[in-house]
Amino acid sequence: MRKKIIAGNWKMFKTVQETEQLITGLKRELSDYTKVEVVVCPPFVNLPVAADCLVDNTIKLGAQNIFWEQEGAFTGEISGPMLKAVGVDYVIVGHSERRQYFHETNETVNKRVKAALKNGLLPIVCVGENLAEREGGKTFDVVNDHVTGSLAGLTTEEMQKIVVAYEPVWAIGTGKTATSAQAQEVHKFIRETLAKMFGQPVADATRIQYGGSVKPENAAELTAQPDIDGALVGGASLKVESFVGIVKNTKV
Ligand code: PEP
């Protein structure tokens, strides 16, 4: 039985003070709500204060990226040991904004996934096609490349620590959600791809989140699909009411 997982990707929003306020609100509403796993992913500088706010709470903490080396002369980067020491549980890897603006490739995503695992962090690995790729009938090819490339070389044991997030780029921050049928079709394809790579039992156990303009109003229908195991939420994770609405509307 896959426990649904809702993760909030705060992107480059919220100061330290705003982080405390938002997490205080989430704790008030969600501390006793354990039917769904909840993760918040603030910007790096807010991770320590977020970790302090979340001590002994069921809400988990995630980072938005990780560098693949353990330490060294890599100005501006953050390593796995640093994230682990702060108390981070999850790390988003390969988000489309990283692929688009920071030239992430499947190879660099794969290195980051391995660095996360090496440091005891749980990767949320993002995959998904852009609008031109969807309109050009390339969705399944692109998603296949993202999944096989990003997860290449993992053992079946390592794969059990991975969450996959299917995020059609054309639905991110645009207000355009994939229909539940469109999302389910790709989620099913991802699970089939995982079965070819890691075997059916691992594929059946892997949680695959949907991401792209998820809101309280569409969370129930999306998460009712057989292969949709939760959501990666951007804009709607920045307010207590909308994020809690998504968590509570998630079909369990
Ligand atoms: C995201 O950033 O991962 C995302 C899905 O954003 P939004 O919910 O705003 O579309």
Side-chain angles (χ1 to χ4, degrees):
M1 182 65 187
R2 301 185 294 265
K3 187 169 186 174
K4 298 265 165 77
I5 174 167
I6 304 294
N9 171 17
W10 293 10
K11 312 195 187 199
M12 198 175 71
F13 291 100
K14 305 292 178 189
T15 62
V16 166
Q17 289 76 14
E18 290 165 344
T19 296
E20 278 175 325
Q21 283 165 9
L22 180 48
I23 292 182
T24 302
L26 295 177
K27 282 187 351 187
R28 192 180 56 233
E29 301 294 327
L30 294 174
S31 283
D32 298 330
Y33 195 81
T34 52
K35 291 184 205 165
V36 172
E37 189 172 357
V38 178
V39 185
V40 291
C41 306
F44 285 132
V45 291
N46 299 343
L47 289 171
V49 73
D52 284 350
C53 292
L54 291 174
V55 168
D56 294 331
N57 200 274
T58 52
I59 299 174
K60 309 257 176 63
L61 185 61
Q64 296 175 21
N65 194 15
I66 178 173
F67 191 57
W68 53 80
E69 296 292 346
Q70 296 290 92
E71 63 178 4
F74 302 103
T75 303
E77 293 298 326
I78 303 285
S79 73
M82 293 171 187
L83 296 177
K84 193 69 190 169
V86 168
V88 167
D89 307 293
Y90 282 91
V91 58
I92 299 171
V93 183
H95 191 277
S96 65
E97 287 151 15
R98 302 284 328 163
R99 292 181 189 259
Q100 186 178 353
Y101 304 126
F102 303 99
H103 314 297
E104 289 275 0
T105 62
N106 292 326
E107 288 70 36
T108 59
V109 171
N110 185 245
K111 285 167 125 180
R112 292 177 205 274
V113 169
K114 288 177 178 163
L117 292 169
K118 181 173 177 174
N119 289 288
L121 299 163
L122 304 170
I124 297 176
V125 182
C126 303
V127 302
E129 80 289 357
N130 63 31
L131 186 60
E133 290 161 343
R134 174 155 284 260
E135 288 178 344
K138 298 210 173 77
T139 297
F140 294 107
D141 289 343
V142 171
V143 170
N144 182 64
D145 278 358
H146 283 185
V147 171
T148 54
S150 304
L151 303 175
L154 299 195
T155 64
T156 52
E157 200 179 51
E158 286 173 329
M159 188 58 211
Q160 288 166 41
K161 304 199 166 82
I162 305 276
V163 174
V164 176
Y166 168 59
E167 298 209 303
V169 181
W170 48 271
I172 296 182
T174 58
K176 259 192 224 171
T177 321
T179 63
S180 51
Q182 279 173 322
Q184 166 58 24
E185 185 184 34
V186 182
H187 279 238
K188 182 168 175 281
F189 173 77
I190 292 172
R191 206 175 297 290
E192 287 163 2
T193 308
L194 294 176
K196 283 187 207 141
M197 293 175 77
F198 300 101
Q200 197 63 51
V202 173
D204 286 341
T206 303
R207 292 180 297 177
I208 308 175
Q209 297 175 305
Y210 170 78
S213 299
V214 176
K215 306 180 259 302
E217 300 75 41
N218 58 24
E221 188 182 333
L222 284 161
T223 54
Q225 300 304 310
D227 288 295
I228 301 185
D229 307 310
L232 181 56
V233 184
S237 71
L238 298 172
K239 290 204 174 111
V240 174
E241 199 188 354
S242 46
F243 193 59
V244 169
I246 290 170
V247 172
K248 297 220 166 149
N249 287 347
T250 293
K251 185 99 170 50
V252 289

